């Protein structure tokens, strides 16, 4: 796996993945300037949200759950001083579908957290990572 980051101007960069997909990342924007992209630390949290959501949906579908939507909200706390690493990360899933079994969704979240989500497991080596979920009828 390989990605590249290309400087545009100021603290703005374009990251490009091997497959050609690009994202705009920006650190602190100049005063009065419109921020054009997520910060690199926000990108890490977006990666965790995406990685764990893919797992939850895939596992739930293998359990024959009728998922029509899955939303992950990730909140994090960072150290006060540099390096401002994440110290706590919480991932909350809202899984929406038809006749979902809460026990099936709980198992999907557990398997993602403990076995499949490389991103959250990796970040769990440096930060306390917790998970929660709710199930809603479509």
């Amino acid at each position: 796996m390989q990605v590249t980051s290309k400087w545009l101007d100021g603290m703005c960069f374009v990251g490009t993945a091997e497959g050609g997909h690009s994202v705009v990342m920006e650190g602190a924007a100049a005063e009065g300037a419109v921020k054009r992209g997520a910060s690199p630390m926000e990108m890490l949290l977006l990666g965790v949200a995406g990685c764990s959501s893919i797992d939850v949906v895939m596992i739930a579908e293998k359990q024959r759950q009728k998922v029509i939507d899955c939303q992950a909200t990730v909140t994090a706390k960072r150290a006060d001083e540099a390096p401002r690493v994440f110290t706590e990360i919480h991932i909350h899933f809202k899984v929406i579908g038809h006749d979902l079994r809460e026990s099936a969704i709980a198992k999907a979240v557990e398997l993602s957290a403990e076995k499949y989500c490389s991103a959250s497991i990796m970040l769990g080596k440096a930060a306390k990572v917790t998970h929660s979920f709710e199930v809603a009828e479509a």
Side-chain angles (χ1 to χ4, degrees):
M1 183 180 299
Q2 183 177 343
V3 300
T4 59
S5 177
K6 181 172 179 358
W7 183 43
L8 292 178
D9 58 34
M11 291 295 116
C12 190
F13 294 78
V14 173
T16 305
E18 274 182 318
H21 297 91
S22 297
V23 294
V24 176
M25 299 175 287
E26 189 161 21
E31 183 146 346
V34 174
K35 193 168 177 190
R36 296 167 283 181
S39 74
M41 293 300 278
E42 289 170 326
M43 295 294 293
L44 285 172
L45 296 181
L46 286 167
V48 167
C51 183
S52 57
S53 295
I54 289 167
D55 291 340
V56 168
V57 169
M58 186 170 52
I59 294 164
E61 286 181 342
K62 285 183 179 177
Q63 296 171 323
R64 293 186 162 77
Q65 298 301 293
K66 297 173 186 162
V67 176
I68 64 162
D69 194 10
C70 179
Q71 302 163 12
T73 302
V74 181
T75 54
K77 292 183 181 176
R78 294 177 68 183
D80 292 331
E81 297 182 20
R84 296 199 56 231
V85 298
F86 291 121
T87 56
E88 296 177 29
I89 299 169
H90 181 75
I91 308 166
H92 179 78
F93 299 95
K94 182 174 184 179
V95 183
I96 302 165
H98 300 288
D99 302 317
L100 298 176
R101 288 191 337 265
E102 190 164 320
S103 62
I105 302 306
K107 187 65 174 175
V109 170
E110 176 187 332
L111 285 169
S112 174
E114 296 177 4
K115 186 173 182 179
Y116 293 112
C117 181
S118 304
S120 67
I121 293 168
M122 181 179 61
L123 287 175
K125 307 280 185 197
K128 178 183 177 187
V129 179
T130 56
H131 300 77
S132 62
F133 72 93
E134 64 183 285
V135 174
E137 186 65 26

